[in-house]
């Protein structure tokens, strides 16, 4: 049978056995679901449910496949969009809509937003605009499934297969995978629709659907089903498929879609358990926005129904259930879109007030137990989207650099002021750098297991080297410099003019180099990287000055001051090593053609 052949291709194509096995099991039954309906009109319930579940499995699998392909093809654009297009709440909403339309998951968009809020790259009010836009992005699936093109679904799978296995360019392969996923979405819808066809004449089911015009019941069913399958897109697809069979009215479809908007909040709430306060606040915004939107529209369902009837295509040449089947799917999709777009326009003017409200509802938590350090940006839910996960690695490595920056400052203060507490802080911060490097490497290892582009693979290697360079700088500051400072305190070695010169001019220049390096890593800033490389003459000059001062003082020192000279030479050599590590990091940022 046709479905059996499709499954042969699927088993060859996709290395995700658990999801594929689930889809395959149901689809094999679904292939016969509508072929084995008894001609007398009696419904074979087992076959019908297998057809429905098999179609749903194939629909979800296709949506997952299309999403993965889109994320791989457009990952770099998504990475930059959320970071840059959030200056106003309106561009933030548009950005959230676009990113969610690509990744087909408002949860992933919310995770990204939480990371940017934590990094200080946007405030809570800006993040709310993106979360609102994410709801608009989820309506794209409804618009896609409202097209009744099941007839060409297998052609889409076939051409997608051809592109995937014959193209040499990664981008073309991604588009082929996307086309296959889209074909499976429509094919799964066709299976669901055909499986439910006998219900058109089944009186008990018709009576149940008539009860769906009761708002609270319909919204509750839509919310519970969405929470169960953890996909508002799947709920909407089933509603539209039922409408395509003439099984459900427009108002019932709208109410079920309302319920799906509330149900998807349950997934976000569960995902936020045990996460940061920012994650909890983002989930709270999502809940307030979706529930508030449903409450606003609940008295106006009839008005919304009339509106979408007027703006959607009509088929007056048809009658009865046939006409409903032709018109209602598009009307439900349009109502779903209008509902979310208008809600966004209504609420977007109140983002500042909503930000204050969620901060009041979820205040900052007082920490009673302090760990050495935990990753701030590494989120496991993004690993399956490598381009976005690698951006989080970029932020975490920059955070390592910021700790190294503070280490050098504390070392200078501790040495010049002979403050043991400052020196002890340096050792504690080096432990933090070591922990973060281990977490970064673990995270990179998980990303490496995904399907990567050449550029992403190259960045993983670059990130590993950069993290190691920062860790090496931390070791130089702790083991070489701090241990030396402790020895100076124990032996009562006084700070000389050469030492003060090292810490003032050369130390400040080195701190400037670290700050520029952090900016180069965090923002992929080539100008900042060039600034680090261009510091070479100034640093060489300052080192020469220190050596000149030391050589002039050498004739004046007594035998018991030799240790001080050795300490100064060690500090000088350590500073040179730190700058060498910084140059290596900076060279990874600038284009190869202008590297030294």
């Amino acid at each position: 049978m046709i479905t059996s052949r499709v499954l042969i291709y699927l088993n060859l194509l996709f290395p995700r056995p658990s999801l594929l096995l689930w889809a395959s099991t149901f689809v094999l039954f679904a292939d016969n679901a509508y072929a084995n309906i008894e001609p007398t009109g009696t419904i074979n319930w087992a076959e019908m449910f297998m057809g429905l579940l098999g179609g749903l499995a194939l629909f979800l699998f296709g949506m997952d496949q299309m999403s993965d392909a889109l994320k791989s093809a457009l990952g770099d654009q998504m990475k930059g969009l959320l970071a840059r297009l959030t200056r106003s709440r309106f561009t933030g909403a548009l950005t959230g809509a676009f990113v969610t339309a690509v990744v087909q998951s408002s949860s992933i968009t919310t995770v990204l937003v939480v990371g940017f809020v934590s990094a200080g790259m946007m405030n809570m009010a800006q993040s709310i605009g993106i979360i609102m836009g994410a709801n608009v992005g989820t309506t794209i699936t409804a618009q896609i499934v409202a097209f009744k093109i099941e007839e060409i679904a297998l052609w889409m799978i076939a051409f997608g297969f051809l592109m995937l296995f014959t193209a040499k360019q990664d981008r073309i392969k991604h588009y082929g995978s996307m086309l296959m996923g889209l074909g499976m979405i429509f094919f799964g819808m066709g299976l669901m629709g055909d499986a439910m066809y006998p219900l058109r004449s089944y009186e008990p089911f018709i009576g149940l659907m008539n009860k769906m015009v009761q708002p609270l019941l319909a919204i509750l069913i839509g919310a519970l089903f969405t929470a169960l399958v953890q996909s508002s897109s799947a709920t909407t697809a089933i509603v539209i498929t039922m409408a395509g069979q003439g099984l459900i009215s427009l108002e019932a479809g709208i109410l079920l879609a309302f319920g799906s908007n509330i149900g998807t909040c349950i997934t976000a709430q569960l995902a936020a358990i045990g996460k940061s306060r920012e994650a909890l606040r983002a989930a709270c915004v999502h809940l307030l926005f979706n529930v508030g939107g449903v409450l606003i529209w609940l008295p106006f369902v009839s008005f919304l129904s009339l509106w979408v009837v007027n703006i959607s295509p009509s088929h007056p040449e048809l009658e009865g259930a046939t006409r409903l089947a032709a018109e209602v799917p598009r009307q439900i999709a349009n109502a779903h879109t209008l509902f979310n777009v208008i809600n966004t326009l209504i609420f977007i003017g109140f983002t500042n007030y909503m930000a204050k409200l969620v901060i009041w509802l979820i205040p900052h938590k007082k920490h009673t137990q302090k760990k050495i350090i935990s990753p701030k940006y590494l989120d496991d839910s993004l690993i399956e989207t490598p381009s976005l996960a690698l951006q989080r690695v970029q932020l975490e490595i920059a955070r390592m650099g910021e700790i190294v920056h503070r280490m050098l400052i504390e070392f200078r203060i501790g040495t010049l002021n002979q403050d043991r507490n400052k020196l002890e802080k340096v050792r504690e911060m080096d432990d933090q750098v070591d922990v973060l490097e281990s977490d970064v490497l673990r995270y990179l290892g998980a990303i490496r297991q995904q399907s990567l582009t050449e550029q992403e693979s190259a960045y993983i290697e670059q990130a590993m080297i950069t993290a190691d360079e920062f860790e090496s700088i931390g070791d130089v500051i702790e083991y070489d410099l701090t241990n030396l400072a402790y020895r100076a305190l124990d032996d009562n070695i006084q700070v000389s003019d050469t030492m003060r010169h090292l810490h003032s001019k050369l130390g400040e220049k080195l701190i400037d180099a670290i700050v520029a390096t952090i900016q180069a890593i965090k923002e992929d800033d080539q100008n900042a990287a060039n600034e680090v490389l261009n510091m070479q003459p100034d640093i060489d000059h300052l080192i020469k000055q220190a050596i000149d001062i030391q050589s002039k003082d050498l004739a004046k020192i007594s035998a018991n001051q030799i240790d001080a000279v050795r300490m100064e030479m060690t500090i000088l050599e350590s500073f040179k090593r730190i700058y060498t590590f910084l140059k290596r990091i900076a060279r990874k940022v600038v284009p190869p053609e202008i590297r030294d």
Side-chain angles (χ1 to χ4, degrees):
M1 295 183 181
I2 293 176
T3 307
S4 302
R5 297 191 196 102
V6 173
L7 286 173
I8 292 173
Y9 292 134
L10 292 177
N11 281 286
L12 289 172
L13 285 173
F14 304 108
R16 301 176 67 172
S18 60
L19 182 57
L20 182 58
L21 178 62
W22 183 60
S24 301
T25 301
F26 285 123
V27 172
L28 284 172
F29 283 99
D31 195 30
N32 293 317
Y34 53 86
N36 290 303
I37 296 170
E38 297 178 17
T40 59
T42 304
I43 297 176
N44 187 327
W45 290 102
E47 296 291 352
M48 190 200 72
F49 277 112
M50 283 299 173
L52 178 61
L53 294 174
L56 177 61
L58 196 56
F59 172 87
L60 292 173
F61 183 68
M63 192 167 68
D64 184 67
Q65 184 66 28
M66 184 179 70
S67 174
D68 285 346
L70 278 167
K71 286 185 284 189
S72 297
L74 302 175
D76 290 336
Q77 290 90 323
M78 291 188 296
K79 183 174 70 175
L81 272 173
L82 279 176
R84 296 184 179 92
L85 298 183
T86 55
R87 294 183 179 178
S88 76
R89 62 193 70 177
F90 296 102
T91 56
L94 291 173
T95 304
F98 173 77
V99 172
T100 305
V102 171
V103 301
Q104 285 298 303
S105 172
S106 56
S107 298
I108 288 181
T109 305
T110 302
V111 168
L112 291 171
V113 168
V114 169
F116 287 125
V117 172
S118 301
M121 299 171 69
M122 67 176 68
N123 57 41
M124 195 66 198
Q126 290 172 315
S127 72
I128 291 173
I130 297 177
I131 293 170
M132 291 177 179
N135 268 29
V136 177
T138 59
T139 67
I140 301 299
T141 303
Q143 292 294 339
I144 290 174
V145 300
F147 289 102
K148 296 179 68 65
I149 54 175
E150 294 89 344
E151 296 81 1
I152 64 169
L154 291 177
W155 282 109
M156 296 171 73
I157 294 174
F159 280 115
F161 178 92
L162 185 65
M163 292 170 65
L164 184 61
F165 278 85
T166 60
K168 295 182 179 179
Q169 297 181 8
D170 286 339
R171 186 171 291 272
I172 301 300
K173 290 182 179 181
H174 294 322
Y175 289 143
S177 181
M178 181 190 71
L179 187 60
M180 281 195 68
L182 191 60
M184 285 186 282
I185 287 174
F186 288 120
F187 190 65
M189 285 182 57
L191 290 176
M192 286 190 289
D194 290 326
M196 289 188 293
Y197 184 83
L199 295 175
R200 296 177 69 171
S201 57
Y202 187 65
E203 291 297 332
F205 182 81
I206 294 173
L208 177 63
M209 289 300 101
N210 288 335
K211 293 181 180 179
M212 287 297 172
V213 295
Q214 298 178 15
L216 295 181
L217 176 63
I219 291 172
L220 179 62
I221 291 174
L224 290 176
F225 186 81
T226 302
L228 179 66
V229 299
Q230 295 193 2
S231 172
S232 59
S233 297
T235 303
T236 309
I238 289 179
V239 170
I240 290 175
T241 301
M242 292 173 66
Q245 293 296 336
L247 298 173
I248 194 169
S249 68
L250 174 57
E251 287 195 12
I254 291 174
L255 290 169
L256 287 168
F258 283 3
S260 73
N261 268 46
I262 294 177
T264 195
C265 296
I266 298 174
T267 303
Q269 301 299 315
L270 292 174
I273 294 175
K275 297 294 180 65
S276 66
R277 309 303 278 179
E278 289 84 359
L280 292 171
R281 288 168 184 163
C284 183
V285 168
H286 198 205
L287 180 64
L288 291 173
F289 175 58
N290 284 18
V291 174
V294 170
L295 292 177
I296 288 174
W297 279 98
L298 201 53
F300 305 104
V301 173
S302 298
F303 169 76
L304 181 59
S305 301
L306 181 62
W307 189 5
V308 295
V309 166
N310 290 331
I311 66 173
S312 303
S314 61
H315 298 276
E317 71 279 4
L318 303 176
E319 295 182 355
T322 305
R323 181 172 182 178
L324 290 176
E327 295 179 348
V328 175
R330 176 59 56 193
Q331 292 169 356
I332 292 175
N334 289 343
H336 191 220
T337 300
L338 284 172
F339 165 76
N340 283 288
V341 170
I342 294 175
N343 280 347
T344 299
L345 293 176
I346 291 173
F347 281 94
I348 204 165
F350 301 95
T351 53
N352 291 325
Y353 297 103
M354 290 185 71
K356 293 177 181 178
L357 175 62
V358 295
I359 291 173
W360 177 75
L361 291 172
I362 306 175
H364 292 289
K365 186 177 181 180
K366 294 181 179 179
H367 298 284
T368 56
Q369 186 176 5
K370 187 177 180 181
K371 296 173 61 177
I372 293 178
I373 197 169
S374 297
K376 187 176 182 180
Y377 304 107
L378 306 183
D379 195 304
D380 289 343
S381 63
L382 292 178
I383 288 175
E384 292 185 1
T385 312
S387 61
L388 301 179
L390 288 174
Q391 186 191 38
R392 310 309 286 274
V393 171
Q394 186 176 346
L395 293 173
E396 200 68 56
I397 291 176
R399 185 183 177 208
M400 289 176 62
E402 290 166 356
I403 296 173
V404 169
H405 172 233
R406 294 200 302 273
M407 287 176 67
L408 188 57
I409 292 175
E410 295 292 331
F411 165 74
R412 291 177 65 207
I413 297 172
T415 303
L416 293 174
N417 297 339
Q418 297 184 323
D419 187 337
R420 289 181 182 271
N421 290 330
K422 294 291 184 183
L423 298 177
E424 188 60 32
K425 284 185 179 179
V426 173
R427 286 185 166 175
E428 293 173 0
M429 285 188 283
D430 185 63
D431 291 339
Q432 293 176 350
V433 172
D434 292 342
V435 170
L436 289 182
E437 185 198 22
S438 298
D439 288 325
V440 166
L441 293 178
R442 174 197 63 79
Y443 197 72
L444 288 172
I447 297 172
R448 174 64 80 179
Q449 297 176 19
Q450 309 301 313
S451 177
L452 303 174
T453 64
E454 292 182 7
Q455 184 179 3
E456 289 166 348
S457 297
Y459 183 78
I460 286 180
E461 296 176 7
Q462 177 182 332
M464 290 173 61
I465 294 172
T466 303
D468 183 65
E469 302 288 7
F470 274 132
E471 194 273 338
S472 297
I473 294 173
D475 286 345
V476 170
I477 297 173
E478 181 188 12
Y479 294 114
D480 296 347
L481 296 177
T482 304
N483 287 340
L484 202 65
Y486 272 118
R487 199 180 77 188
L489 289 174
D490 293 338
D491 296 343
N492 198 26
I493 298 175
Q494 299 302 310
V495 178
S496 66
D497 291 339
T498 305
M499 182 84 74
R500 295 189 182 279
H501 173 83
L502 284 172
H503 281 294
S504 59
K505 294 184 178 179
L506 184 57
E508 288 174 5
K509 197 68 176 179
L510 207 56
I511 286 174
D512 291 341
I514 293 178
V515 171
T517 303
I518 294 169
Q519 182 178 343
I521 294 298
K522 193 172 185 177
E523 302 178 11
D524 200 22
D525 189 337
Q526 294 182 11
N527 292 329
N530 278 322
E531 182 182 340
V532 176
L533 298 177
N534 292 334
M535 289 180 183
Q536 178 85 57
D538 292 339
I539 289 179
D540 288 344
H541 177 68
L542 290 171
I543 290 173
K544 186 178 182 303
Q545 276 187 345
I547 294 173
D548 289 343
I549 295 172
Q550 196 176 49
S551 64
K552 290 177 182 177
D553 292 341
L554 194 60
K556 307 174 187 177
I557 64 173
S558 59
N560 59 0
Q561 292 177 308
I562 294 296
D563 285 342
V565 174
R566 288 175 178 169
M567 186 176 72
E568 292 164 1
M569 293 177 65
T570 302
I571 291 175
L572 189 62
E573 184 61 32
S574 297
F575 279 1
K576 289 167 65 177
R577 287 178 61 200
I578 290 173
Y579 180 64
T580 300
F581 288 130
L582 294 174
K583 284 195 300 182
R584 290 176 186 172
I585 296 172
R587 286 196 183 99
K588 296 293 182 182
V589 178
V590 298
E593 60 270 14
I594 64 172
R595 294 177 188 169
D596 294 342

